[in-house]
């Protein structure tokens, strides 16, 4: 059940307060409610960059630069990841 519409390129995501974060060998381990989520690779980078100061497009540009992929492809991936996390409520807009 998705509460929010899919993020757009000019939306500004930020991490939800109250989520426990632990750095582990494989990335970031997030603890929220009675769940845990391991983020690694691009997902970890997106989470770290979603600090309320960057648009979805700016996050995608950073992902494209870090991983050497096309910016349009990165934008699709970032939007998809953010939309997929809506049920977890680890981001707010």
């Amino acid at each position: 059940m998705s509460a929010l519409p899919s993020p757009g390129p000019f939306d500004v995501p930020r991490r939800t307060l109250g989520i426990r974060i632990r750095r582990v060998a494989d990335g970031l381990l997030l603890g929220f409610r009675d769940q845990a989520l391991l983020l690694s690779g691009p997902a970890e980078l997106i989470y770290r960059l979603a600090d309320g100061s960057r648009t979805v497009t700016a996050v995608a540009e950073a992902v494209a630069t870090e991983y050497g992929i096309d910016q349009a492809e990165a934008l699709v991936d970032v939007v998809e990841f953010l939309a997929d996390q809506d049920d977890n409520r680890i981001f707010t807009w």
Side-chain angles (χ1 to χ4, degrees), residues 15-35:
R15 297 176 296 260
T16 301
L17 296 176
I19 294 178
R20 296 173 307 281
I21 304 167
R22 178 169 290 170
R23 177 159 290 290
V24 295
D26 296 333
L28 294 178
L29 184 62
L30 308 182
F32 52 98
R33 298 186 306 273
D34 61 346
Q35 299 178 27

Side-chain angles (χ1 to χ4, degrees), residues 2 7 9 11 16 21 28 30 32 34 44 48 50-51 53 56-57 63 65 72 76 78 84-85:
S2 182
D11 287 331
T16 301
I21 304 167
L28 294 178
L30 308 182
F32 52 98
D34 61 346
E44 177 186 356
R48 286 190 294 112
D51 61 2
S53 70
V56 171
T57 299
V63 170
T65 300
V76 169
V78 168
D84 286 349
Q85 298 310 312

Side-chain angles (χ1 to χ4, degrees), residues 13-15 21 23 26-30 38-69 74 77-78 81-82 90-91:
R14 79 172 178 261
R15 297 176 296 260
I21 304 167
R23 177 159 290 290
D26 296 333
L28 294 178
L29 184 62
L30 308 182
L38 178 64
L39 300 178
S40 61
E44 177 186 356
L45 179 59
I46 294 167
Y47 185 79
R48 286 190 294 112
L49 294 173
D51 61 2
S53 70
R54 296 173 181 87
T55 64
V56 171
T57 299
V59 172
E61 289 170 357
V63 170
T65 300
E66 179 71 22
Y67 289 95
I69 61 174
D77 292 345
V78 168
F81 172 76
L82 292 170
I90 62 172
F91 298 106

